[in-house]
Amino acid sequence: MKQKDSTFSVDKAEESSGFLLWQVTNLWQREIRKALEPYELTHSQFVLMASIHWLTLQQQDVTQILLSAHTKIDPMTTSTVLRALQGRGLVQRQRHRTDTRAKTVGLTDQGRKLVKQAVKTVEAFDRDFFAKLGDKAGTFNKQLLTLLLNGGN
């Protein structure tokens, strides 16, 4: 006879939101990595480059701090990834014109061309991946935003 172990509050793994989110996130990230392979970009590199482009189109002066806040990638990782992208000639970093402590970042012509192509690929992948949600995709995004905006609390 099996003894009841009260370690878990759920009877089935599928009842754990955190475990399901972890599994879906891993699946999604694995497929995104494959989609980005032709561009020789990691997912973090793509997110930072796409965000630089997005924020620039929004007429924002893109600083590393703004970029870090926008992407939710910690400042040290943001700086490290940007340095690697700069080394590949995809990103340029320079001192902010008014704040000597800040650096502004922008895409080079080569970086802009690459990210525009990669965005098309990633958006197509996302459309296919999330199409399984049907007309519930908008609700799903709102629920994710609730978690983000409340910091998980």
Side-chain angles (χ1 to χ4, degrees):
M1 182 172 205
K2 264 187 167 177
Q3 201 172 13
K4 180 78 171 154
D5 183 328
S6 61
T7 301
F8 299 100
S9 63
V10 296
D11 293 326
K12 300 176 188 170
E14 301 82 39
E15 295 172 351
S16 170
S17 299
F19 186 57
L20 288 173
L21 180 60
W22 183 79
Q23 288 180 314
V24 170
T25 300
N26 278 315
L27 172 64
W28 180 79
Q29 287 179 337
R30 182 173 51 246
E31 297 303 317
I32 282 286
R33 276 193 294 275
K34 287 180 195 173
L36 289 170
E37 279 177 3
Y39 306 100
E40 297 180 4
L41 292 173
T42 67
H43 196 201
S44 294
Q45 290 172 334
F46 167 77
V47 168
L48 288 171
M49 289 179 67
S51 293
I52 291 168
H53 189 53
W54 173 268
L55 292 168
T56 300
L57 291 174
Q58 308 302 313
Q59 310 291 309
Q60 296 199 35
D61 211 9
V62 184
T63 64
Q64 288 185 197
I65 295 300
L66 173 64
L67 195 54
S68 177
H70 178 78
T71 61
K72 307 284 190 268
I73 298 174
D74 71 86
M76 187 64 79
T77 301
T78 297
S79 180
T80 301
V81 173
L82 288 174
R83 205 171 307 117
L85 290 169
Q86 185 177 17
R88 288 183 55 193
L90 301 173
V91 166
Q92 54 193 4
R93 299 189 306 169
Q94 53 201 27
R95 293 225 180 270
H96 194 279
R97 51 185 147 36
T98 57
D99 184 350
T100 56
R101 298 165 296 149
K103 287 188 187 226
T104 58
V105 292
L107 298 174
T108 63
D109 289 341
Q110 179 186 355
R112 192 170 13 272
K113 183 179 174 186
L114 183 68
V115 82
K116 284 182 173 188
Q117 294 169 346
V119 164
K120 288 178 185 173
T121 299
V122 168
E123 285 186 346
F125 166 74
D126 277 351
R127 267 191 306 278
D128 291 344
F129 187 87
F130 293 106
K132 295 161 190 80
L133 296 175
D135 62 356
K136 295 183 176 99
T139 301
F140 178 71
N141 287 350
K142 286 178 186 172
Q143 291 169 330
L144 291 173
L145 276 171
T146 297
L147 294 174
L148 274 173
L149 295 173
N150 292 301
N153 294 329

